[in-house]
Amino acid sequence: QVQLVESGGGLVQAGGSLRLSCAASGRTSSGYTMGWFRQAPGKEREFVAAINWSGRSTNLASSVKGRFTISRDNAKNTVYLEMDSLKPEDTAVYYCAADQSTAQAMGARRPVKCDYWGQGTQVTVSS
């Protein structure tokens, strides 16, 4: 079992930045790929970014490429999502996820599916 706790959400103006963190506990030594997903009101949950265990392979949704960066610190069992140049359409609940697929596979599943999920953190971008 893996437990995931997100933090760092909040209210920011368009063009601003936020950094989300996801702390993992439990069986974190098993080499999990970590990812971020988001869900806006009335919309399906969608893939945002993923990073494999070593950090050498990442995958970003086209809508966030060039603005968001995913990274991880395995010594701290934490994955980060740096979000720059935020837009109102980035407003959503952001969820951390983990499973033992590749970063590319995590982003390709429809509907989205992962073994473990956090509770989510709200990000609101005002115009």
Side-chain angles (χ1 to χ4, degrees), residues 73-85:
D73 184 341
N74 287 341
K76 296 181 179 179
N77 292 324
T78 300
V79 64
Y80 304 98
L81 185 68
E82 182 72 40
M83 305 186 293
D84 299 317
S85 301

Side-chain angles (χ1 to χ4, degrees), residues 12-25:
V12 64
Q13 288 188 331
S17 299
L18 279 176
R19 188 175 83 153
L20 305 183
S21 300
C22 173
S25 60

Side-chain angles (χ1 to χ4, degrees), residues 1-2 4 28 33-34 38 49-50 53 57 61 64-65 71 84 90 93 95 98 120 126:
Q1 287 284 352
V2 176
L4 305 172
T28 56
T33 286
M34 303 291 292
R38 66 188 183 187
W53 169 250
S57 177
V64 305
K65 276 183 181 177
S71 61
D84 299 317
D90 294 317
V93 177
Y95 295 92
S126 63

Side-chain angles (χ1 to χ4, degrees), residues 2-67:
V2 176
Q3 293 78 44
L4 305 172
V5 178
E6 303 96 335
S7 61
L11 174 64
V12 64
Q13 288 188 331
S17 299
L18 279 176
R19 188 175 83 153
L20 305 183
S21 300
C22 173
S25 60
R27 293 188 60 185
T28 56
S29 62
S30 299
Y32 287 96
T33 286
M34 303 291 292
W36 289 95
F37 294 76
R38 66 188 183 187
Q39 188 166 17
K43 295 188 177 181
E44 293 185 350
R45 191 170 298 189
E46 64 175 5
F47 170 76
V48 176
I51 186 168
N52 74 339
W53 169 250
S54 70
R56 296 192 188 101
S57 177
T58 62
N59 184 16
L60 290 162
S62 58
S63 59
V64 305
K65 276 183 181 177
R67 301 188 298 121

